[in-house]
Amino acid sequence: DGIGRIGFDLKVNRQRQVVLESNCRQTAATYPESVRFQLTRSGRCRTAAVAMRNVRPMHVRGWQVLPQLLGDLAFDPASCRGVVIGNPICMEGEHPKFAAVCVGHGLAEAQAILQETQQRLESSRASAAAK
């Protein structure tokens, strides 16, 4: 038993509302640390830093196309760097988004991967809009 804040992650569209999860925390700040911890604790990566942000690629439906759009930026277990697709269920609906969980060997590299991810998906938005 306890008293405190609880946060809900919701998926809402015109047809229905779904509770994705509820957490006794205020932010999603635990996601990057959880990914970093799991990669280093498992021995898969000697070092790992993670930068994360929600990315909203317009004109893209479903998470299945994201690895193709990411190409060489998709997470590679051998090099322990790249983009892990977080919250893929949020790619469905009117306002698709996903959590780009970007892993690098240092924070600067993780942030560079995040920036490149956003640029690549924005250019895919522009090319999709032009078609």
Side-chain angles (χ1 to χ4, degrees):
D1 291 339
I3 297 173
R5 297 178 185 246
I6 187 167
F8 292 92
D9 289 351
L10 305 171
K11 179 182 173 190
V12 179
N13 63 35
R14 290 186 178 140
Q15 288 79 32
R16 62 186 180 142
Q17 295 128 17
V18 177
V19 176
L20 298 175
E21 64 180 345
S22 62
N23 297 298
C24 297
R25 59 178 167 74
Q26 289 181 281
T27 70
T30 58
Y31 292 148
E33 175 55 20
S34 175
V35 169
R36 187 205 64 76
F37 177 79
Q38 290 177 54
L39 289 172
T40 56
R41 180 70 180 239
S42 70
R44 188 178 293 252
C45 304
R46 237 182 81 222
T47 62
V50 178
M52 183 184 92
R53 180 173 297 149
N54 281 330
V55 174
R56 293 173 167 79
M58 295 172 64
H59 307 292
V60 175
R61 292 287 185 248
W63 67 270
Q64 295 87 346
V65 298
L66 291 175
Q68 180 184 352
L69 291 174
L70 290 170
D72 62 334
L73 290 175
F75 183 75
D76 175 27
S79 66
C80 198
R81 66 177 302 278
V83 182
V84 176
I85 298 167
N87 297 331
I89 195 170
C90 295
M91 282 297 295
E92 299 172 9
E94 291 180 57
H95 305 287
K97 70 175 183 174
F98 73 99
V101 183
C102 301
V103 180
H105 294 284
L107 187 55
E109 182 181 30
Q111 289 174 327
I113 293 168
L114 176 58
Q115 184 176 10
E116 192 174 341
T117 298
Q118 290 180 289
Q119 288 172 348
R120 186 169 297 182
L121 292 176
E122 287 171 2
S123 70
S124 74
R125 283 195 318 215
S127 64
K131 290 181 181 180

